[in-house]
Amino acid sequence: MADQLKLDTDAPAAAGKTRRRRNAGSPRGSAGYERRRSRRIATTWQVCILLALIAGMKILNTTSGNLVMPSPEAVFWQSVEMWADGTIPRALGESLTVLGLGFILASTSGIMIGILLGGFPFLGRVLDPYVNAVNATPGAAFIPLIIVWFGLYAEAKIALVWLAAVFPVLINTTAGISNANKDLIEMAQSFGASRWTLFWQVMVPDALPSILSGLRIGAAICIVGTVIAELTMAQSGLGGLMIKAGNRFQMDRYFAVVIVMMALGSLITIGLRLAERRLGRWRVAMQDGG
Amino acid sequence: MTETRPPIISLNGVSKSFKDGQVQAIEDLSFDVRPGEFVSLVGPSGCGKTTLLRLIDGLVAPDRGTVLVNGRPPDPTYNMAMVFQSSRLLPWRTVAGNIDFVLGLRGHAPKARKSRVQALLGAVGLREFAEAYPHELSGGMQQRVGLARALAVEPEVLLMDEPFAALDAMTRETLRGELLRLWDRRRMAVVFVTHDIDEAIILSQRIIVLRPRPGRIDAVVPVDLPEPRWQTDPRGLPAYADLRRALWDRIHAMGREGVALEELTGAFGDEP
Ligand SMILES: Nc1ncnc2c1ncn2[C@@H]1O[C@H](COP(=O)(O)OP(=O)(O)OP(=O)(O)O)[C@@H](O)[C@H]1O
Ligand SMILES: [Mg+2]
Protein backbone atom coordinates (compact mmCIF):
# COMPACT_ATOMS: atom_id res chain seq x y z
CA MET A 1 0.00 0.00 0.00
CA ALA A 2 2.76 2.39 0.99
CA ASP A 3 4.75 1.35 -2.05
CA GLN A 4 1.75 1.88 -4.23
CA LEU A 5 1.35 5.41 -2.86
CA LYS A 6 5.02 6.16 -3.37
CA LEU A 7 4.87 4.97 -6.95
CA ASP A 8 1.86 7.13 -7.65
CA THR A 9 3.45 10.29 -6.33
CA ASP A 10 6.72 9.61 -8.11
CA ALA A 11 5.26 8.95 -11.51
CA PRO A 12 4.35 12.51 -12.52
CA ALA A 13 7.68 13.87 -11.29
CA ALA A 14 9.56 11.33 -13.38
CA ALA A 15 7.45 12.12 -16.39
CA GLY A 16 8.14 15.81 -15.91
CA LYS A 17 11.85 15.15 -15.75
CA THR A 18 11.98 13.18 -18.99
CA ARG A 19 9.93 15.81 -20.74
CA ARG A 20 12.31 18.52 -19.62
CA ARG A 21 15.29 16.49 -20.74
CA ARG A 22 13.80 15.94 -24.19
CA ASN A 23 13.13 19.67 -24.55
CA ALA A 24 16.72 20.46 -23.63
CA GLY A 25 17.84 18.36 -26.62
CA SER A 26 16.02 20.69 -29.04
CA PRO A 27 15.87 24.08 -27.35
CA ARG A 28 13.98 25.78 -30.15
CA GLY A 29 11.06 23.40 -29.81
CA SER A 30 10.48 20.17 -31.65
CA ALA A 31 8.71 21.76 -34.66
CA GLY A 32 11.80 23.82 -35.56
CA TYR A 33 14.01 20.85 -34.92
CA GLU A 34 11.94 18.67 -37.27
CA ARG A 35 12.00 21.34 -39.95
CA ARG A 36 15.78 21.70 -39.80
CA ARG A 37 16.17 17.95 -39.83
CA SER A 38 14.01 17.50 -42.93
CA ARG A 39 15.80 20.37 -44.65
CA ARG A 40 19.15 18.69 -43.97
CA ILE A 41 17.88 15.41 -45.39
CA ALA A 42 16.56 17.21 -48.48
CA THR A 43 19.92 18.93 -49.03
CA THR A 44 21.72 15.60 -48.72
CA TRP A 45 19.48 14.14 -51.37
CA GLN A 46 19.97 17.14 -53.64
CA VAL A 47 23.75 16.77 -53.44
CA CYS A 48 23.43 13.05 -54.15
CA ILE A 49 21.35 13.73 -57.27
CA LEU A 50 23.90 16.29 -58.48
CA LEU A 51 26.71 13.76 -58.04
CA ALA A 52 24.64 11.13 -59.84
CA LEU A 53 24.08 13.52 -62.76
CA ILE A 54 27.79 14.24 -63.03
CA ALA A 55 28.54 10.52 -62.84
CA GLY A 56 25.91 9.90 -65.53
CA MET A 57 27.55 12.52 -67.77
CA LYS A 58 30.88 10.83 -67.27
CA ILE A 59 29.51 7.36 -68.06
CA LEU A 60 27.67 8.59 -71.17
CA ASN A 61 30.84 10.40 -72.25
CA THR A 62 33.03 7.30 -71.97
CA THR A 63 30.50 4.98 -73.62
CA SER A 64 29.18 7.24 -76.41
CA GLY A 65 31.83 9.88 -77.01
CA ASN A 66 32.33 13.64 -76.74
CA LEU A 67 29.60 14.61 -79.19
CA VAL A 68 26.76 12.90 -77.33
CA MET A 69 27.93 14.12 -73.94
CA PRO A 70 30.99 16.16 -73.01
CA SER A 71 32.93 14.98 -70.00
CA PRO A 72 32.22 16.91 -66.78
CA GLU A 73 35.81 17.99 -66.37
CA ALA A 74 35.94 19.32 -69.94
CA VAL A 75 32.83 21.41 -69.20
CA PHE A 76 34.43 22.64 -65.99
CA TRP A 77 37.69 23.75 -67.62
CA GLN A 78 35.86 25.25 -70.58
CA SER A 79 33.75 27.27 -68.11
CA VAL A 80 36.86 28.50 -66.32
CA GLU A 81 38.39 29.59 -69.62
CA MET A 82 35.24 31.31 -70.87
CA TRP A 83 34.83 33.23 -67.59
CA ALA A 84 38.51 34.14 -67.54
CA ASP A 85 38.78 35.39 -71.13
CA GLY A 86 35.64 37.52 -70.76
CA THR A 87 33.43 35.59 -73.19
CA ILE A 88 30.79 34.68 -70.66
CA PRO A 89 30.85 37.97 -68.70
CA ARG A 90 30.36 39.92 -71.94
CA ALA A 91 27.51 37.69 -73.11
CA LEU A 92 25.97 37.77 -69.65
CA GLY A 93 26.08 41.57 -69.73
CA GLU A 94 24.31 41.67 -73.09
CA SER A 95 21.66 39.23 -71.97
CA LEU A 96 21.11 40.99 -68.65
CA THR A 97 20.64 44.32 -70.43
CA VAL A 98 17.87 42.92 -72.62
CA LEU A 99 16.37 40.94 -69.76
CA GLY A 100 16.55 43.75 -67.21
CA LEU A 101 15.19 46.50 -69.43
CA GLY A 102 12.50 44.22 -70.83
CA PHE A 103 11.44 43.19 -67.34
CA ILE A 104 11.42 46.72 -65.94
CA LEU A 105 9.33 47.97 -68.85
CA ALA A 106 6.97 44.99 -68.70
CA SER A 107 6.44 45.23 -64.95
CA THR A 108 5.90 48.99 -64.76
CA SER A 109 3.59 49.13 -67.76
CA GLY A 110 1.85 45.88 -66.77
CA ILE A 111 1.15 47.11 -63.26
CA MET A 112 0.02 50.55 -64.45
CA ILE A 113 -2.34 49.22 -67.12
CA GLY A 114 -3.51 46.46 -64.78
CA ILE A 115 -4.39 49.00 -62.08
CA LEU A 116 -6.20 51.10 -64.67
CA LEU A 117 -8.27 48.14 -65.89
CA GLY A 118 -8.92 47.04 -62.30
CA GLY A 119 -9.99 50.54 -61.27
CA PHE A 120 -12.30 50.96 -64.25
CA PRO A 121 -13.96 47.54 -64.42
CA PHE A 122 -16.01 48.56 -67.45
CA LEU A 123 -12.85 49.31 -69.42
CA GLY A 124 -11.43 46.01 -68.21
CA ARG A 125 -14.50 44.14 -69.42
CA VAL A 126 -14.41 45.82 -72.84
CA LEU A 127 -10.72 45.11 -73.36
CA ASP A 128 -10.80 41.61 -71.90
CA PRO A 129 -11.04 39.67 -75.22
CA TYR A 130 -8.15 41.66 -76.70
CA VAL A 131 -5.94 41.19 -73.67
CA ASN A 132 -6.69 37.48 -73.74
CA ALA A 133 -6.10 37.18 -77.48
CA VAL A 134 -2.66 38.78 -77.34
CA ASN A 135 -1.77 36.94 -74.16
CA ALA A 136 -2.69 33.59 -75.68
CA THR A 137 -0.55 34.19 -78.77
CA PRO A 138 2.97 32.78 -78.41
CA GLY A 139 5.50 35.60 -78.12
CA ALA A 140 7.44 34.15 -81.06
CA ALA A 141 4.53 34.94 -83.38
CA PHE A 142 5.37 38.63 -83.06
CA ILE A 143 9.02 38.25 -84.04
CA PRO A 144 8.62 39.09 -87.76
CA LEU A 145 6.57 42.18 -86.94
CA ILE A 146 9.01 43.31 -84.28
CA ILE A 147 11.95 42.82 -86.68
CA VAL A 148 10.20 44.97 -89.28
CA TRP A 149 9.42 47.67 -86.74
CA PHE A 150 12.49 47.65 -84.53
CA GLY A 151 15.26 45.88 -86.48
CA LEU A 152 17.47 43.12 -85.17
CA TYR A 153 19.31 44.64 -82.23
CA ALA A 154 18.77 45.46 -78.58
CA GLU A 155 15.60 47.55 -79.14
CA ALA A 156 13.90 44.72 -80.97
CA LYS A 157 14.95 42.19 -78.37
CA ILE A 158 13.69 44.36 -75.54
CA ALA A 159 10.41 44.86 -77.40
CA LEU A 160 9.96 41.11 -77.71
CA VAL A 161 10.73 40.50 -74.04
CA TRP A 162 8.34 43.29 -73.05
CA LEU A 163 5.55 41.95 -75.22
CA ALA A 164 5.91 38.44 -73.85
CA ALA A 165 6.02 39.47 -70.20
CA VAL A 166 3.65 42.41 -69.96
CA PHE A 167 0.41 40.41 -70.14
CA PRO A 168 0.94 38.04 -67.22
CA VAL A 169 1.79 41.05 -65.04
CA LEU A 170 -1.21 42.99 -66.31
CA ILE A 171 -3.66 40.12 -65.98
CA ASN A 172 -2.53 39.25 -62.44
CA THR A 173 -2.76 42.88 -61.37
CA THR A 174 -6.29 43.30 -62.72
CA ALA A 175 -7.42 39.97 -61.28
CA GLY A 176 -5.96 40.83 -57.88
CA ILE A 177 -7.84 44.10 -57.78
CA SER A 178 -11.16 42.79 -59.01
CA ASN A 179 -10.96 39.86 -56.57
CA ALA A 180 -10.11 42.10 -53.62
CA ASN A 181 -11.70 40.96 -50.36
CA LYS A 182 -15.36 42.06 -50.36
CA ASP A 183 -15.58 42.04 -46.56
CA LEU A 184 -12.70 44.48 -46.24
CA ILE A 185 -14.21 46.71 -48.91
CA GLU A 186 -17.52 46.73 -47.06
CA MET A 187 -15.71 47.53 -43.81
CA ALA A 188 -13.98 50.54 -45.38
CA GLN A 189 -17.23 51.74 -46.96
CA SER A 190 -18.94 51.44 -43.62
CA PHE A 191 -16.39 53.83 -42.12
CA GLY A 192 -16.97 56.25 -44.98
CA ALA A 193 -14.01 55.59 -47.27
CA SER A 194 -14.09 57.55 -50.52
CA ARG A 195 -13.77 55.59 -53.76
CA TRP A 196 -10.22 56.85 -54.12
CA THR A 197 -9.19 55.71 -50.62
CA LEU A 198 -11.02 52.44 -51.05
CA PHE A 199 -9.10 51.75 -54.23
CA TRP A 200 -5.59 52.75 -53.14
CA GLN A 201 -5.73 51.77 -49.50
CA VAL A 202 -7.79 48.61 -49.62
CA MET A 203 -8.08 47.10 -53.09
CA VAL A 204 -4.55 47.69 -54.37
CA PRO A 205 -2.80 46.51 -51.17
CA ASP A 206 -5.07 43.48 -51.13
CA ALA A 207 -3.98 42.75 -54.72
CA LEU A 208 -0.27 42.97 -53.89
CA PRO A 209 0.33 39.22 -53.51
CA SER A 210 -1.34 38.64 -56.86
CA ILE A 211 0.72 41.42 -58.47
CA LEU A 212 3.89 39.88 -57.10
CA SER A 213 3.11 36.45 -58.47
CA GLY A 214 2.42 38.13 -61.82
CA LEU A 215 5.92 39.63 -61.61
CA ARG A 216 7.41 36.22 -60.86
CA ILE A 217 5.70 34.65 -63.88
CA GLY A 218 6.69 37.68 -65.97
CA ALA A 219 10.34 37.31 -64.96
CA ALA A 220 10.39 33.65 -65.96
CA ILE A 221 8.90 34.58 -69.34
CA CYS A 222 11.50 37.35 -69.72
CA ILE A 223 14.29 34.79 -69.48
CA VAL A 224 12.72 32.64 -72.19
CA GLY A 225 12.01 35.72 -74.31
CA THR A 226 15.59 36.95 -74.02
CA VAL A 227 17.06 33.67 -75.21
CA ILE A 228 14.57 33.39 -78.07
CA ALA A 229 15.34 36.95 -79.14
CA GLU A 230 19.07 36.22 -79.04
CA LEU A 231 18.60 33.11 -81.16
CA THR A 232 16.25 34.53 -83.76
CA MET A 233 17.41 38.13 -84.12
CA ALA A 234 21.05 39.28 -84.27
CA GLN A 235 22.85 36.57 -82.30
CA SER A 236 24.16 37.96 -79.06
CA GLY A 237 24.39 37.31 -75.36
CA LEU A 238 24.14 33.89 -73.78
CA GLY A 239 21.66 32.69 -76.39
CA GLY A 240 23.97 33.65 -79.21
CA LEU A 241 26.94 32.04 -77.51
CA MET A 242 24.98 28.87 -76.97
CA ILE A 243 23.76 28.54 -80.56
CA LYS A 244 27.23 29.21 -81.94
CA ALA A 245 28.76 26.51 -79.77
CA GLY A 246 25.96 24.12 -80.69
CA ASN A 247 26.30 24.76 -84.39
CA ARG A 248 29.98 23.92 -84.19
CA PHE A 249 29.31 20.84 -82.06
CA GLN A 250 31.46 22.29 -79.26
CA MET A 251 29.39 20.54 -76.63
CA ASP A 252 31.62 21.50 -73.71
CA ARG A 253 31.24 25.19 -74.57
CA TYR A 254 27.54 24.67 -75.09
CA PHE A 255 27.16 23.09 -71.66
CA ALA A 256 29.19 25.84 -70.00
CA VAL A 257 26.68 28.41 -71.34
CA VAL A 258 23.64 26.34 -70.42
CA ILE A 259 24.88 26.12 -66.83
CA VAL A 260 25.11 29.91 -66.65
CA MET A 261 21.54 30.19 -67.96
CA MET A 262 20.29 27.72 -65.37
CA ALA A 263 22.02 29.61 -62.59
CA LEU A 264 20.67 32.95 -63.84
CA GLY A 265 17.12 31.66 -64.05
CA SER A 266 17.30 30.13 -60.58
CA LEU A 267 18.78 33.27 -59.03
CA ILE A 268 16.10 35.50 -60.50
CA THR A 269 13.31 33.23 -59.38
CA ILE A 270 14.74 32.94 -55.86
CA GLY A 271 15.19 36.71 -55.66
CA LEU A 272 11.62 37.35 -56.66
CA ARG A 273 10.30 34.78 -54.26
CA LEU A 274 12.18 36.53 -51.46
CA ALA A 275 10.75 39.88 -52.52
CA GLU A 276 7.30 38.33 -52.62
CA ARG A 277 7.74 36.95 -49.13
CA ARG A 278 8.93 40.25 -47.75
CA LEU A 279 6.34 42.51 -49.40
CA GLY A 280 3.48 40.10 -48.97
CA ARG A 281 4.50 39.35 -45.41
CA TRP A 282 1.02 39.01 -44.01
CA ARG A 283 -0.12 36.57 -46.71
CA VAL A 284 2.92 34.35 -46.48
CA ALA A 285 2.71 34.30 -42.71
CA MET A 286 -0.89 33.14 -42.92
CA GLN A 287 0.03 30.33 -45.29
CA ASP A 288 2.80 29.22 -42.95
CA GLY A 289 0.04 28.58 -40.44
CA GLY A 290 0.43 31.69 -38.28
CA MET B 1 -38.30 62.65 -21.64
CA THR B 2 -36.35 60.73 -24.27
CA GLU B 3 -39.62 59.74 -25.95
CA THR B 4 -40.23 63.30 -27.11
CA ARG B 5 -37.01 63.37 -29.15
CA PRO B 6 -37.25 62.00 -32.68
CA PRO B 7 -35.83 58.50 -33.14
CA ILE B 8 -32.21 58.29 -34.31
CA ILE B 9 -32.90 55.08 -36.23
CA SER B 10 -36.25 54.49 -37.83
CA LEU B 11 -37.21 51.48 -39.93
CA ASN B 12 -40.58 51.51 -41.62
CA GLY B 13 -41.98 48.48 -43.47
CA VAL B 14 -38.52 47.36 -44.54
CA SER B 15 -38.15 44.29 -46.77
CA LYS B 16 -34.97 42.88 -48.19
CA SER B 17 -34.40 39.81 -50.31
CA PHE B 18 -31.32 38.32 -51.92
CA LYS B 19 -30.69 36.34 -55.09
CA ASP B 20 -33.43 38.08 -57.08
CA GLY B 21 -36.06 37.50 -54.43
CA GLN B 22 -35.29 33.82 -53.89
CA VAL B 23 -34.12 34.42 -50.33
CA GLN B 24 -36.44 36.67 -48.35
CA ALA B 25 -34.11 37.86 -45.60
CA ILE B 26 -36.39 40.47 -43.98
CA GLU B 27 -40.06 41.20 -44.51
CA ASP B 28 -42.09 44.24 -43.53
CA LEU B 29 -40.08 45.10 -40.47
CA SER B 30 -40.54 48.31 -38.49
CA PHE B 31 -38.95 49.65 -35.33
CA ASP B 32 -37.39 52.79 -33.92
CA VAL B 33 -34.35 53.36 -31.78
CA ARG B 34 -34.20 56.47 -29.62
CA PRO B 35 -31.01 58.51 -29.28
CA GLY B 36 -28.81 56.94 -26.64
CA GLU B 37 -30.89 53.79 -26.43
CA PHE B 38 -29.34 50.33 -26.15
CA VAL B 39 -31.34 47.80 -28.17
CA SER B 40 -30.55 44.13 -28.64
CA LEU B 41 -31.66 41.96 -31.53
CA VAL B 42 -31.95 38.27 -30.75
CA GLY B 43 -33.14 35.45 -32.93
CA PRO B 44 -32.05 32.18 -34.47
CA SER B 45 -29.35 31.98 -37.11
CA GLY B 46 -30.41 33.24 -40.52
CA CYS B 47 -33.25 35.45 -39.33
CA GLY B 48 -31.67 38.51 -40.90
CA LYS B 49 -29.85 40.16 -38.00
CA THR B 50 -26.69 40.93 -39.97
CA THR B 51 -28.81 42.08 -42.90
CA LEU B 52 -30.66 44.48 -40.60
CA LEU B 53 -27.41 46.04 -39.42
CA ARG B 54 -26.19 46.38 -43.00
CA LEU B 55 -29.46 48.11 -43.91
CA ILE B 56 -29.08 50.57 -41.03
CA ASP B 57 -25.43 51.18 -41.97
CA GLY B 58 -26.44 51.93 -45.56
CA LEU B 59 -24.34 49.09 -46.97
CA VAL B 60 -27.40 47.63 -48.67
CA ALA B 61 -30.60 49.36 -49.71
CA PRO B 62 -34.03 47.98 -48.79
CA ASP B 63 -36.27 46.54 -51.52
CA ARG B 64 -39.28 48.19 -49.91
CA GLY B 65 -39.83 50.50 -46.96
CA THR B 66 -37.57 53.20 -45.56
CA VAL B 67 -34.54 53.28 -43.32
CA LEU B 68 -33.79 56.62 -41.69
CA VAL B 69 -30.78 57.41 -39.53
CA ASN B 70 -30.84 60.79 -37.85
CA GLY B 71 -33.78 61.66 -40.07
CA ARG B 72 -31.97 60.90 -43.33
CA PRO B 73 -31.29 57.82 -45.43
CA PRO B 74 -28.11 56.24 -44.05
CA ASP B 75 -24.97 57.75 -45.45
CA PRO B 76 -21.40 56.63 -44.79
CA THR B 77 -20.24 60.07 -43.74
CA TYR B 78 -22.65 60.05 -40.78
CA ASN B 79 -20.87 59.14 -37.57
CA MET B 80 -21.88 55.51 -37.38
CA ALA B 81 -19.64 52.52 -36.71
CA MET B 82 -20.00 48.78 -37.03
CA VAL B 83 -18.34 45.95 -35.16
CA PHE B 84 -18.51 43.09 -37.64
CA GLN B 85 -19.26 39.48 -36.94
CA SER B 86 -15.74 38.60 -38.13
CA SER B 87 -13.14 41.19 -37.25
CA ARG B 88 -12.37 42.42 -40.82
CA LEU B 89 -8.98 43.93 -40.06
CA LEU B 90 -6.65 44.99 -42.86
CA PRO B 91 -4.01 42.23 -42.79
CA TRP B 92 -1.24 44.50 -44.10
CA ARG B 93 -1.66 47.05 -41.35
CA THR B 94 -0.65 46.68 -37.73
CA VAL B 95 -3.21 46.78 -34.95
CA ALA B 96 -2.48 50.48 -34.41
CA GLY B 97 -2.51 51.03 -38.18
CA ASN B 98 -5.97 49.51 -38.46
CA ILE B 99 -7.40 51.92 -35.91
CA ASP B 100 -5.49 54.80 -37.43
CA PHE B 101 -7.03 53.92 -40.80
CA VAL B 102 -10.62 54.59 -39.70
CA LEU B 103 -9.61 57.71 -37.77
CA GLY B 104 -8.17 58.96 -41.05
CA LEU B 105 -11.36 58.06 -42.89
CA ARG B 106 -13.37 60.09 -40.39
CA GLY B 107 -11.07 63.07 -40.83
CA HIS B 108 -9.23 63.09 -37.49
CA ALA B 109 -6.02 65.12 -37.59
CA PRO B 110 -2.90 62.91 -37.84
CA LYS B 111 -1.42 64.42 -34.68
CA ALA B 112 -4.40 63.62 -32.50
CA ARG B 113 -4.66 60.08 -33.81
CA LYS B 114 -1.66 58.52 -32.14
CA SER B 115 -2.65 59.13 -28.54
CA ARG B 116 -6.19 58.16 -29.33
CA VAL B 117 -5.09 54.84 -30.79
CA GLN B 118 -3.05 54.17 -27.66
CA ALA B 119 -5.94 55.03 -25.37
CA LEU B 120 -8.30 52.70 -27.21
CA LEU B 121 -5.87 49.83 -27.26
CA GLY B 122 -5.52 50.31 -23.52
CA ALA B 123 -9.29 50.16 -23.13
CA VAL B 124 -9.48 46.74 -24.82
CA GLY B 125 -6.31 45.48 -23.12
CA LEU B 126 -4.10 45.29 -26.21
CA ARG B 127 -1.61 48.08 -25.60
CA GLU B 128 1.40 45.76 -26.02
CA PHE B 129 0.09 44.55 -29.36
CA ALA B 130 -0.06 47.95 -31.09
CA GLU B 131 2.67 46.98 -33.56
CA ALA B 132 1.52 43.39 -34.12
CA TYR B 133 -0.14 42.31 -37.36
CA PRO B 134 -3.65 40.86 -37.18
CA HIS B 135 -2.49 37.36 -38.10
CA GLU B 136 -0.29 37.38 -35.02
CA LEU B 137 -3.33 37.77 -32.74
CA SER B 138 -5.85 35.21 -31.54
CA GLY B 139 -9.40 35.39 -32.87
CA GLY B 140 -10.62 36.97 -29.66
CA MET B 141 -7.89 39.60 -29.73
CA GLN B 142 -8.71 40.44 -33.36
CA GLN B 143 -12.32 40.89 -32.33
CA ARG B 144 -11.24 43.29 -29.61
CA VAL B 145 -9.31 45.34 -32.17
CA GLY B 146 -12.51 45.46 -34.22
CA LEU B 147 -14.29 46.81 -31.15
CA ALA B 148 -11.56 49.39 -30.47
CA ARG B 149 -11.71 50.49 -34.10
CA ALA B 150 -15.46 51.13 -33.91
CA LEU B 151 -15.22 52.97 -30.60
CA ALA B 152 -12.30 55.07 -31.88
CA VAL B 153 -14.53 57.19 -34.08
CA GLU B 154 -16.87 57.98 -31.13
CA PRO B 155 -19.98 57.02 -33.09
CA GLU B 156 -23.45 58.43 -32.53
CA VAL B 157 -24.78 55.05 -33.60
CA LEU B 158 -22.89 51.86 -32.78
CA LEU B 159 -23.89 48.70 -34.62
CA MET B 160 -22.54 45.48 -33.15
CA ASP B 161 -22.85 42.07 -34.80
CA GLU B 162 -22.27 39.37 -32.19
CA PRO B 163 -19.07 41.12 -31.15
CA PHE B 164 -18.39 38.90 -28.14
CA ALA B 165 -19.44 35.53 -29.54
CA ALA B 166 -15.87 34.42 -30.27
CA LEU B 167 -14.46 35.47 -26.90
CA ASP B 168 -13.82 33.40 -23.79
CA ALA B 169 -16.26 33.88 -20.89
CA MET B 170 -13.84 35.99 -18.86
CA THR B 171 -12.95 38.46 -21.60
CA ARG B 172 -16.57 38.61 -22.66
CA GLU B 173 -17.59 39.58 -19.14
CA THR B 174 -14.89 42.28 -18.96
CA LEU B 175 -15.74 43.74 -22.33
CA ARG B 176 -19.47 43.80 -21.57
CA GLY B 177 -18.61 45.86 -18.51
CA GLU B 178 -16.37 48.14 -20.57
CA LEU B 179 -19.05 48.58 -23.20
CA LEU B 180 -21.70 49.46 -20.62
CA ARG B 181 -19.39 51.92 -18.89
CA LEU B 182 -18.58 53.57 -22.21
CA TRP B 183 -22.20 53.67 -23.23
CA ASP B 184 -23.12 55.17 -19.89
CA ARG B 185 -20.62 57.97 -20.46
CA ARG B 186 -21.12 58.62 -24.16
CA ARG B 187 -24.76 57.62 -24.57
CA MET B 188 -24.58 56.67 -28.21
CA ALA B 189 -27.40 54.55 -29.62
CA VAL B 190 -26.40 50.89 -29.76
CA VAL B 191 -27.95 48.14 -31.82
CA PHE B 192 -26.47 44.94 -30.49
CA VAL B 193 -26.98 41.58 -32.20
CA THR B 194 -26.49 38.51 -30.06
CA HIS B 195 -27.40 34.85 -29.77
CA ASP B 196 -27.15 35.00 -26.02
CA ILE B 197 -30.33 35.81 -24.05
CA ASP B 198 -28.39 36.64 -20.89
CA GLU B 199 -26.11 39.00 -22.75
CA ALA B 200 -29.14 40.74 -24.27
CA ILE B 201 -30.79 41.20 -20.86
CA ILE B 202 -27.64 42.39 -19.09
CA LEU B 203 -26.79 44.97 -21.72
CA SER B 204 -29.93 46.37 -23.21
CA GLN B 205 -32.89 48.55 -22.43
CA ARG B 206 -35.05 46.85 -24.99
CA ILE B 207 -34.86 43.44 -26.71
CA ILE B 208 -36.29 42.80 -30.14
CA VAL B 209 -36.90 39.11 -30.76
CA LEU B 210 -36.79 38.17 -34.43
CA ARG B 211 -38.16 35.08 -36.13
CA PRO B 212 -36.70 33.58 -39.26
CA ARG B 213 -37.68 32.96 -42.86
CA PRO B 214 -38.52 35.66 -43.53
CA GLY B 215 -37.08 37.83 -40.76
CA ARG B 216 -39.89 39.53 -38.84
CA ILE B 217 -40.36 40.93 -35.35
CA ASP B 218 -41.68 38.30 -32.96
CA ALA B 219 -41.73 40.36 -29.78
CA VAL B 220 -40.37 43.57 -28.31
CA VAL B 221 -39.40 43.13 -24.67
CA PRO B 222 -38.51 46.14 -22.50
CA VAL B 223 -35.84 45.46 -19.89
CA ASP B 224 -36.76 47.29 -16.68
CA LEU B 225 -33.77 46.42 -14.58
CA PRO B 226 -31.85 48.96 -12.50
CA GLU B 227 -28.98 50.82 -14.17
CA PRO B 228 -26.03 51.23 -14.34
CA ARG B 229 -25.59 47.50 -14.69
CA TRP B 230 -21.80 47.50 -14.83
CA GLN B 231 -21.82 48.32 -11.12
CA THR B 232 -24.37 45.76 -9.91
CA ASP B 233 -24.89 42.44 -11.63
CA PRO B 234 -28.65 42.10 -12.34
CA ARG B 235 -28.47 38.33 -12.70
CA GLY B 236 -29.48 37.66 -9.08
CA LEU B 237 -32.67 39.76 -9.21
CA PRO B 238 -36.07 38.05 -9.36
CA ALA B 239 -37.05 40.40 -12.21
CA TYR B 240 -34.12 39.04 -14.19
CA ALA B 241 -35.33 35.44 -13.88
CA ASP B 242 -38.86 36.48 -14.90
CA LEU B 243 -37.56 38.30 -17.93
CA ARG B 244 -35.40 35.41 -18.93
CA ARG B 245 -38.34 33.02 -18.65
CA ALA B 246 -40.60 35.33 -20.65
CA LEU B 247 -38.01 35.55 -23.41
CA TRP B 248 -37.49 31.85 -23.43
CA ASP B 249 -41.25 31.30 -23.69
CA ARG B 250 -41.39 33.52 -26.77
CA ILE B 251 -38.65 31.55 -28.36
CA HIS B 252 -40.18 28.25 -27.35
CA ALA B 253 -43.45 29.31 -28.93
CA MET B 254 -41.52 29.99 -32.10
CA GLY B 255 -40.33 26.39 -31.92
CA ARG B 256 -43.88 25.06 -31.61
CA GLU B 257 -44.83 27.08 -34.67
CA GLY B 258 -42.44 25.08 -36.77
CA VAL B 259 -39.01 26.64 -36.53
CA ALA B 260 -36.59 23.74 -36.45
CA LEU B 261 -35.70 23.01 -32.85
CA GLU B 262 -32.01 22.44 -33.48
CA GLU B 263 -31.77 25.98 -34.78
CA LEU B 264 -33.19 27.28 -31.54
CA THR B 265 -31.12 25.19 -29.20
CA GLY B 266 -28.07 26.09 -31.26
CA ALA B 267 -28.99 29.72 -30.86
CA PHE B 268 -29.99 29.92 -27.24
CA GLY B 269 -28.38 27.13 -25.29
CA ASP B 270 -30.38 24.94 -22.90
CA GLU B 271 -33.84 25.62 -21.63
CA PRO B 272 -33.75 27.10 -18.11
N1 LIG C 1 -25.27 38.74 -49.59
C1 LIG C 1 -26.19 37.77 -49.51
N2 LIG C 1 -26.49 37.03 -50.60
C2 LIG C 1 -27.44 36.06 -50.53
N3 LIG C 1 -28.12 35.75 -49.43
C3 LIG C 1 -27.86 36.43 -48.31
C4 LIG C 1 -26.88 37.48 -48.29
N4 LIG C 1 -26.84 37.99 -47.04
C5 LIG C 1 -27.74 37.29 -46.33
N5 LIG C 1 -28.37 36.37 -47.07
C6 LIG C 1 -29.44 35.46 -46.62
O1 LIG C 1 -30.34 36.19 -45.85
C7 LIG C 1 -30.72 35.48 -44.67
C8 LIG C 1 -30.37 36.28 -43.44
O2 LIG C 1 -28.96 36.39 -43.33
P1 LIG C 1 -28.22 37.14 -42.16
O3 LIG C 1 -26.77 37.03 -42.40
O4 LIG C 1 -28.77 38.51 -42.05
O5 LIG C 1 -28.64 36.26 -40.89
P2 LIG C 1 -28.17 36.39 -39.39
O6 LIG C 1 -29.40 36.52 -38.57
O7 LIG C 1 -27.15 37.43 -39.24
O8 LIG C 1 -27.55 34.94 -39.13
P3 LIG C 1 -26.36 34.55 -38.13
O9 LIG C 1 -26.93 34.60 -36.77
O10 LIG C 1 -26.02 33.17 -38.54
O11 LIG C 1 -25.24 35.52 -38.35
C9 LIG C 1 -30.01 34.15 -44.75
O12 LIG C 1 -30.93 33.19 -45.25
C10 LIG C 1 -28.90 34.36 -45.73
O13 LIG C 1 -28.66 33.19 -46.46
MG1 LIG D 1 -25.11 37.38 -38.77
Side-chain angles (χ1 to χ4, degrees), chain A residues 182-184 186-194 197 201-203 205-206 281-283 285-286 290, chain B residues 54 57 59 76 80-82 84 86 88-93 101-102 105-106 133 135 149-150 153:
Chain A
K182 298 279 176 296
D183 284 354
L184 293 182
E186 193 183 73
M187 180 278 293
Q189 281 172 335
S190 151
F191 281 97
S194 64
T197 313
Q201 302 218 38
V202 179
M203 295 168 80
D206 202 43
R281 187 152 91 98
W282 71 93
R283 238 350 105 83
M286 281 198 292
Chain B
R54 293 174 73 217
D57 206 22
L59 293 169
M80 202 160 18
M82 171 106 88
F84 296 90
S86 61
R88 302 199 187 179
L89 303 173
L90 301 175
W92 55 88
R93 279 179 178 255
F101 176 67
V102 299
L105 291 182
R106 284 287 156 81
Y133 283 87
H135 70 79
R149 175 176 64 188
V153 299

Side-chain angles (χ1 to χ4, degrees), chain B residues 44-106:
Chain B
S45 186
C47 68
K49 303 183 294 292
T50 299
T51 306
L52 251 177
L53 292 190
R54 293 174 73 217
L55 281 162
I56 297 171
D57 206 22
L59 293 169
V60 289
D63 298 338
R64 262 169 290 123
T66 52
V67 179
L68 295 179
V69 176
N70 201 24
R72 273 179 241 108
D75 144 25
T77 55
Y78 179 68
N79 199 0
M80 202 160 18
M82 171 106 88
V83 181
F84 296 90
Q85 202 163 359
S86 61
S87 57
R88 302 199 187 179
L89 303 173
L90 301 175
W92 55 88
R93 279 179 178 255
T94 60
V95 166
N98 265 282
I99 298 174
D100 187 74
F101 176 67
V102 299
L103 288 176
L105 291 182
R106 284 287 156 81

